[in-house]
Amino acid sequence: VPLLSPYSIWHENSIIEFETYFTLGLPLPRRFQRSLDDCRLRTLLLQVRDLGLGYDSEETVLFKYCSGGCPRARTNHDLTLSVLLQKSSIPALHHERIYSDPCCRPTRYEDVAFLDTSHQWHKVEKLSASACGCVG
Amino acid sequence: LWHLVLFYFPGSEFGMTPVNRCLDAAKACNVAEVCQKFRTEYVSACIKPSVKPGSCNRAKCNKALRKFFDRVPPEYTHELLFCPCTDTACAERRRQTIVPACSYETKERPNCLNLLQSCKTDYVCRSRWAQFQYNCQPSTLSATGCKQENYGACLLSYTGLIGTITPNYLDNSTSSVAPWCSCTTSGNQRGQCSNFLSYFTDNTCLKLMTFFCSICYVSLCVYSTVLQQGAGGILMNFKEN
């Protein structure tokens, strides 16, 4: 269970400003909308035992992941693929898992270490993302 | 004395809810990028098995530990190392902070003078030992227990020893610290050996420093001289009572 909702690495004032817009139900200014939509690193504070990896530790760790949109159809390859998918000219394509858009994925990862409840150290490799990019 | 302490540290270990300050320190480290990074780095170096089964690369582990204490701001490192504990779970976590199994533990404790001798042949170790001796020199004349009257400097010098002489908590029930060595086989150099060991086990400056730096927020201890004056004041009260 996340202890905090996703928050970005904005300046503190921006977070307060963002929260004000959010609680008042006002439409978000463009700069917030854009930064919310863009593919970038986001952070969750999680208990180690909620990582789903079977470790029992009371420590909390930052779990950074990537989300957000990527510019559509960047390459000719993507353009052709999306046209093919839309036209459904080749029915077999619909049974395959094809994505014509680039994906927002980690481009770099980092390890995370912690001490468990029986005082054993563990290092979990590539647990957290440290950089994001539009892949594909 | 206690109302003064409570005034300084409301709702910490004296509160009703049991808290594990060492766990809190670990959580704080995990959310600070630099602390998390160097902590992961030393843990990786210290738990990585070496070619010989059941062992690790001690030199790499110690180097990574020194890097952690050198590069990470003291408000994180000192909280991890000097967190106050009221139960064994907390104290064991505190003892495990520097990964004793790899950083210093051996089947048998070496003689303390051998430890000191090999320290003196190493440039880093030699200078850090000298710095520690200077900054944590005990004094019965001073209210702080330290000749230099500077807990911050003593604290930094103590953590500077980790990855060299590597003193640590002896067990999970007390706050006594010492390096992993013994004086039992010292022969006629027994006095010299005990003298070295007593710099850790019987050092008023170190004892009072760890006491005050653990009950307060350590960062205050490092950055503020106000606390030192405060500590002196409390000590005066303590002595009077």
Side-chain angles (χ1 to χ4, degrees), chain A residues 58-60 115 119 121 123, chain B residues 30 39 44 89 93 96:
Chain A
E58 291 164 303
E59 283 189 33
T60 47
L115 197 65
H119 300 113
W121 282 103
K123 182 188 76 165
Chain B
N30 287 345
R39 185 182 187 229
S44 310
R93 171 175 273 279
Q96 288 294 340

Side-chain angles (χ1 to χ4, degrees), chain B residues 19 24 27 96 117 121 124 148 153 195 202 231:
Chain B
V19 285
D24 291 346
K27 288 178 180 174
Q96 288 294 340
Q117 206 49 48
T121 59
V124 179
Q148 303 306 323
N195 202 23
D202 190 25

Side-chain angles (χ1 to χ4, degrees), chain A residues 7 9 45 47-48 57-62 64 110-124 130, chain B residues 20 23 26-28 30-33 36 39-44 47 88-90 92-94 96-100:
Chain A
Y7 63 90
I9 309 162
L45 189 60
Q47 289 236 352
V48 169
S57 169
E58 291 164 303
E59 283 189 33
T60 47
V61 292
L62 282 186
K64 290 180 268 179
E110 58 190 24
D111 305 340
V112 174
F114 53 83
L115 197 65
D116 71 14
T117 43
S118 50
H119 300 113
Q120 296 287 313
W121 282 103
H122 297 281
K123 182 188 76 165
V124 183
S130 62
Chain B
N20 185 336
L23 178 63
K27 288 178 180 174
N30 287 345
V31 295
E33 191 138 346
Q36 196 273 125
R39 185 182 187 229
T40 303
E41 217 170 282
Y42 84 71
V43 171
S44 310
I47 65 171
T88 54
C90 173
E92 182 58 17
R93 171 175 273 279
R94 184 173 62 181
Q96 288 294 340
T97 302
I98 59 170
V99 201

Side-chain angles (χ1 to χ4, degrees), chain B residues 201-220:
Chain B
T201 55
D202 190 25
N203 181 332
T204 345
C205 174
L206 197 61
K207 277 213 173 90
L208 290 175
M209 183 274 287
T210 46
F211 176 70
F212 280 106
C213 292
S214 65
I215 55 173
C216 70
Y217 293 100
V218 173
S219 50
L220 270 180

Side-chain angles (χ1 to χ4, degrees), chain B residues 29-189:
Chain B
C29 177
N30 287 345
V31 295
E33 191 138 346
V34 67
C35 193
Q36 196 273 125
K37 180 177 173 244
F38 287 109
R39 185 182 187 229
T40 303
E41 217 170 282
Y42 84 71
V43 171
S44 310
C46 297
I47 65 171
K48 193 177 176 186
S50 77
V51 258
K52 233 169 79 188
S55 65
C56 66
N57 190 329
R58 177 156 299 168
K60 273 194 179 166
C61 170
N62 281 326
K63 196 175 176 188
L65 276 169
R66 287 203 299 275
K67 204 164 154 191
F68 175 75
F69 286 103
D70 288 347
R71 305 258 184 105
V72 179
E75 61 257 43
Y76 297 109
T77 57
H78 293 166
E79 283 288 349
L80 282 168
L81 208 55
F82 296 105
C83 35
C85 289
T86 48
D87 60 54
T88 54
C90 173
E92 182 58 17
R93 171 175 273 279
R94 184 173 62 181
R95 198 183 76 82
Q96 288 294 340
T97 302
I98 59 170
V99 201
C102 183
S103 65
Y104 62 85
E105 276 177 4
T106 47
K107 217 171 176 186
E108 289 192 7
R109 286 170 192 255
N111 184 276
C112 293
L113 287 178
N114 289 351
L115 183 72
L116 184 61
Q117 206 49 48
S118 63
C119 174
K120 283 179 176 170
T121 59
D122 177 72
Y123 170 74
V124 179
C125 192
R126 191 170 58 223
S127 64
R128 293 194 173 193
W129 167 241
Q131 208 172 10
F132 171 76
Q133 276 183 299
Y134 177 79
N135 287 321
C136 300
Q137 192 178 351
S139 162
T140 46
L141 299 173
S142 163
T144 56
C146 306
K147 196 169 179 201
Q148 303 306 323
E149 310 224 15
N150 187 343
Y151 284 150
C154 177
L155 193 64
L156 282 173
S157 314
Y158 176 86
T159 52
L161 288 181
I162 291 161
T164 61
I165 285 179
T166 320
N168 195 20
Y169 295 93
L170 293 174
D171 50 45
N172 60 15
S173 53
T174 63
S175 298
S176 309
V177 293
W180 182 259
C181 66
S182 99
C183 283
T184 48
T185 56
S186 306
N188 56 1
Q189 288 182 306

